[in-house]
Amino acid sequence: MNDWPEGWSGDDRDRYGRGSASAQPESARVMRQVRRGQGAPGQGAYGQGAYGRQGPSAPPYGNGVPQQPSYVDGQGYGGDYDSGYNTGQVYGSPGGGGYDGPGDPGGGRGPRPAPNWRKRIKWTAIVVITGLIVTTVSTYFWADSKLNREVDLSKVIDRPDQGDGTNYLIVGSDSRAGLSSEQKKQLHTGSAEGKRTDSMMILHTGSNGDTLISLPRDSDVEIPSFVGSESGKTYKGTGRHVKLNAAYAEDGPELLVRTVEFNTGLRIDHYVEIGFAGFASIVDAVGGVEIDIDKGFKDKYSGADFKAGKQELNGDQALAFVRTRHAFAASDLQRTKNQQKFLAALAHQVATPGTVLNPFKLYPTLGAGLDSLIVDKDMGLYDLGSMFFAMKGVNGGDGTSLNMPISGSTGGNLVWDKTKVKQLVQELNNDEKVTVSGN
């Protein structure tokens, strides 16, 4: 009796049992015998091991049925046939980069190389520095675009010779532009039309120390010949004497600069002006300013109501503090001292790391300050920064601050001490250390 399944011949046996090149399918009964080896590197369950090692023979499938090939490592196909799967390679990875079994936890890729920290630090530094440069340049152009360059000093005639160092004329005006009726009431500004100067200072910066000189608004000065800022007409001087703040009220910043230069002999290089609303906005943007008040005072005109001691002032309170004069016997002279004192505290607060390094404080402060400043056409951010840090240094004890020397008064106007003023201007023009004292 034939032990082979019906329809099978010896030729069929040779063809499927000895690696015939024909890829003919086997019957279901035969295919059940065809299995790859199991486990690595152990023996397979039925005959040939998973990796080509010889294991025990598979039990016979049926009476007279010979052991079937396992088709592992090319066995069962003839000795010359190589299936290409006997080394555990993954298709497309000639180097054997595939998974080699449980003994290969790295997935055949080998150990991960150690991180190159020097390279990482280098690229991190490059990214950070690039970001800082981009931010700085962007901030510069943003800030520069916000400067209101409205004052044309080229209209000022008969100017003094240029001395050593740089002179800034810093003006605080009582402009109410942009204030609502409620804000005017809150800030005690009144509703006067136009604008006048509540405070005026000359800041000199140089190599022998910086000097800040307050010019009382009631200073007696002569209005010289000048060219009208709007009309372009020349107005001849008549020897007319007025209070210094009247020069500003008459024809604006250009006439004020012309009057200061004529009465002092000191050339003004840059002009900076700030109004009520801008001043209060800067103080609020920086989060308030701490100041030590020597003696408490009240003033119904400015709305001031302060006790002695250290306290933090918001924008409204700060404006009241620097405007008050009726509460003092020295009137405008005491007010100029308070203005210098507060500007010192404000400059210190703005320059703290808590403001400079905090973009949520820095940008609102810059925005509030730059929006409210009026400067001359030649003023740049570098000049503005130099002015700011010079004021900070002066009021921090690194320079000299004083009122313009006064010798007396006439008709309610404060008369300057001509001898001291001449010496003061000479020292400033020569960029020498100031030895003159003021009131």
Side-chain angles (χ1 to χ4, degrees):
M1 181 178 177
N2 191 347
D3 291 336
W4 288 93
E6 184 177 358
W8 281 54
S9 67
D11 292 336
D12 292 326
R13 179 181 55 186
D14 290 340
R15 182 170 35 160
Y16 291 103
R18 298 189 181 278
S20 170
S22 300
Q24 298 292 338
E26 298 175 313
S27 69
R29 293 183 64 186
V30 175
M31 290 301 291
R32 291 172 61 184
Q33 288 291 96
V34 179
R35 298 191 54 175
R36 287 183 178 273
Q38 295 183 1
Q43 299 295 330
Y46 300 103
Q48 193 71 15
Y51 292 94
R53 289 191 294 273
Q54 184 69 33
S57 299
Y61 187 81
N63 291 333
V65 178
Q67 177 180 341
Q68 299 299 309
S70 66
Y71 296 94
V72 177
D73 295 341
Q75 298 296 324
Y77 288 97
D80 296 332
Y81 181 80
D82 184 359
S83 66
Y85 293 90
N86 59 341
T87 60
Q89 295 178 3
V90 175
Y91 178 75
S93 302
Y99 178 71
D100 289 335
D104 183 16
R109 292 187 297 271
R112 179 178 296 177
N116 189 334
W117 288 109
R118 178 177 296 179
K119 187 175 182 180
R120 291 188 179 185
I121 292 173
K122 171 186 174 182
W123 281 106
T124 299
I126 291 174
V127 171
V128 171
I129 293 173
T130 301
L132 288 174
I133 292 174
V134 171
T135 301
T136 301
V137 172
S138 300
T139 300
Y140 176 88
F141 284 105
W142 167 77
D144 188 72
S145 68
K146 295 180 75 68
L147 279 178
N148 301 307
R149 298 181 173 94
E150 299 178 6
V151 179
D152 189 356
L153 296 183
S154 67
K155 294 180 180 179
V156 180
I157 62 173
D158 300 332
R159 309 192 68 185
D161 294 334
Q162 179 72 53
D164 295 329
T166 303
N167 300 312
Y168 300 83
L169 180 60
I170 304 170
V171 175
S173 76
D174 64 358
S175 172
R176 295 151 177 87
L179 294 177
S180 64
S181 298
E182 183 178 349
Q183 289 174 317
K184 291 176 183 179
K185 182 178 180 181
Q186 179 182 346
L187 297 175
H188 298 272
T189 65
S191 299
E193 295 297 328
K195 56 182 182 179
R196 286 148 292 279
T197 51
D198 258 20
S199 61
M200 289 159 284
M201 302 177 186
I202 294 174
L203 173 67
H204 173 85
T205 62
S207 57
N208 284 296
D210 303 321
T211 305
L212 184 63
I213 308 160
S214 290
L215 307 176
R217 57 175 278 175
D218 294 337
S219 296
D220 185 81
V221 293
E222 179 182 341
I223 298 295
S225 299
F226 69 95
V227 175
S229 58
E230 298 295 334
S231 66
K233 295 180 180 180
T234 299
Y235 298 89
K236 294 294 185 180
T238 60
R240 175 168 55 103
H241 280 247
V242 298
K243 292 182 179 180
L244 182 58
N245 68 335
Y248 181 96
E250 186 173 332
D251 198 47
E254 288 85 358
L255 179 55
L256 178 61
V257 170
R258 167 73 174 130
T259 302
V260 169
E261 288 185 344
F262 177 82
N263 285 270
T264 62
L266 191 67
R267 186 184 181 96
I268 300 300
D269 299 294
H270 292 294
Y271 176 92
V272 181
E273 176 186 328
I274 186 169
F276 282 164
F279 182 82
S281 295
I282 294 174
V283 175
D284 286 334
V286 82
V289 175
E290 185 179 77
I291 191 169
D292 190 358
I293 299 177
D294 298 329
K295 185 178 180 180
F297 59 89
K298 291 184 179 181
D299 180 19
K300 66 178 182 179
Y301 296 100
S302 67
D305 186 2
F306 299 107
K307 293 182 172 61
K310 287 186 177 181
Q311 51 206 285
E312 188 174 89
L313 307 185
N314 61 26
D316 298 353
Q317 294 168 327
L319 187 58
F321 181 79
V322 299
R323 292 184 61 224
T324 298
R325 62 172 178 148
H326 297 286
F328 310 122
S331 187
D332 204 36
L333 293 178
Q334 181 60 44
R335 177 167 70 171
T336 57
K337 292 179 181 179
N338 285 346
Q339 289 169 349
Q340 291 182 352
K341 184 175 185 177
F342 185 82
L343 288 176
L346 175 60
H348 176 76
Q349 179 66 29
V350 171
T352 59
T355 299
V356 175
L357 300 180
N358 183 353
F360 296 103
K361 274 192 174 182
L362 176 63
Y363 285 98
T365 302
L366 283 175
L370 296 172
D371 278 339
S372 57
L373 290 180
I374 296 175
V375 299
D376 65 90
K377 293 184 180 298
D378 294 327
M379 172 75 84
L381 285 180
Y382 177 81
D383 302 307
L384 195 61
S386 298
M387 181 197 79
F388 172 79
F389 284 105
M391 288 186 67
K392 179 179 180 294
V394 166
N395 291 289
D398 294 333
T400 304
S401 60
L402 67 153
N403 281 326
M404 185 65 82
I406 304 296
S407 61
S409 63
T410 176
N413 295 356
L414 298 174
V415 179
W416 293 350
D417 187 321
K418 292 183 179 180
T419 302
K420 287 186 175 182
V421 169
K422 183 178 180 179
Q423 181 182 349
L424 173 63
V425 170
Q426 183 178 353
E427 290 173 344
L428 294 177
N429 275 330
N430 295 330
D431 196 20
E432 299 172 347
K433 185 174 179 59
V434 171
T435 60
V436 177
S437 61
N439 298 78

